[in-house]
Amino acid sequence: MKELLNENDINFRLDKLASFIEEDCQKLGGGITFICVLNGGFMFFSDLVKRIKYPIKIDFIQCKSYNDNKQQELTIVKDIDSDIQDHTIFIVDDILDSGNTMKHLQTHFRYHGAKNIFTVTAVSKENVDFPNNYCIYKQPENVNPWYVGYGMDDKGYNRNINSINTI
C-alpha cells in the first residue's frame, strides 16, 4: 500500500473544498440536501458536512455496484427518506470512477424532483460526463490504481484507514 494523502493533507483539502461548496450554497439558496452514498462515502461525507456552515439537510442512500472489485449492474439497497422536491442536491461519494453510480443517482433524484444536482467525491478519476465534479484529489491521466482507505475498500477491508492509499 502506498500513501497518497495523509490525514493532514485530507483535512487541508477538505477545508478548502467545504469553503468553496459553502459559497455555492449561499449563491444557490433555498433547500439544500447533501446525500451520502453508502458505504464508501461515509468518512468523506461526515468530515465534509461538519465543515459546511450553511443550513443543510442530510440523508443517505446505499447502492451496490461492485462485487469483489468487479463492476456490475447498480442496485439501490436503501433509498433516501427526505423529500427533495425543488432542492439542490449534493451527491457525496468516495470515488468517481466510471460514473455509472452518479449517472444512475442523478436520474433517480431528478425523477424525485431535485432542482439542481452536484457531485462531490474524495477521489475523481478523469470522466467526461462529470467535468465539474467537486473533489479533494483528481487522479492524474494515464494511471489507474485501486484506492483504499478513507472509506474506500479492498474486498470490504481497509475502509477505516484515515488516509487515501493506492494498492
Side-chain angles (χ1 to χ4, degrees):
M1 215 175 343
K2 179 183 174 195
E3 187 175 77
L4 188 63
L5 295 177
N6 65 36
E7 189 173 8
N8 291 332
D9 296 331
I10 291 169
N11 284 324
F12 177 76
R13 291 172 183 224
L14 265 170
D15 288 342
K16 288 173 55 174
L17 179 63
S19 177
F20 187 67
I21 291 173
E22 187 176 331
E23 285 178 27
D24 285 351
C25 289
Q26 296 287 347
K27 292 175 194 170
L28 291 162
I32 295 181
T33 303
F34 280 66
I35 299 173
C36 176
V37 182
L38 297 171
N39 289 337
F42 81 100
M43 287 179 87
F44 176 58
F45 180 83
S46 175
D47 289 345
L48 177 65
V49 297
K50 287 185 272 187
R51 289 168 163 84
I52 304 290
K53 302 303 178 216
Y54 186 89
I56 60 171
K57 289 172 68 175
I58 65 168
D59 209 331
F60 302 88
I61 192 164
Q62 186 175 23
C63 302
K64 184 172 177 143
S65 63
Y66 281 90
N67 186 14
D68 287 335
N69 299 349
K70 292 186 176 90
Q71 199 160 26
Q72 60 187 24
E73 184 177 331
L74 184 122
T75 56
I76 294 177
V77 177
K78 182 241 179 264
D79 206 346
I80 62 171
D81 296 320
S82 301
D83 177 7
I84 59 168
Q85 182 72 38
D86 296 322
H87 272 232
T88 293
I89 303 301
F90 286 84
I91 306 170
V92 182
D93 202 357
D94 56 353
I95 189 167
L96 176 61
D97 193 350
S98 67
N100 291 339
T101 299
M102 290 297 189
K103 286 179 204 168
H104 186 91
L105 291 177
Q106 284 183 326
T107 300
H108 181 72
F109 295 140
R110 277 192 197 98
Y111 176 79
H112 289 285
K115 179 171 56 174
N116 302 302
I117 301 174
F118 298 94
T119 59
V120 186
T121 58
V123 173
S124 182
K125 294 186 177 184
E126 192 64 38
N127 191 306
V128 295
D129 294 324
F130 297 91
N132 299 318
N133 180 59
Y134 295 98
C135 65
I136 60 170
Y137 178 76
K138 188 162 185 85
Q139 174 182 286
E141 291 182 32
N142 302 319
V143 296
N144 194 26
W146 190 263
Y147 295 92
V148 295
Y150 204 58
M152 294 170 273
D153 72 301
D154 181 30
K155 297 178 183 162
Y157 291 93
N158 296 320
R159 288 188 195 275
N160 59 311
I161 299 170
N162 63 357
S163 58
I164 296 175
N165 306 274
T166 58
I167 54 172

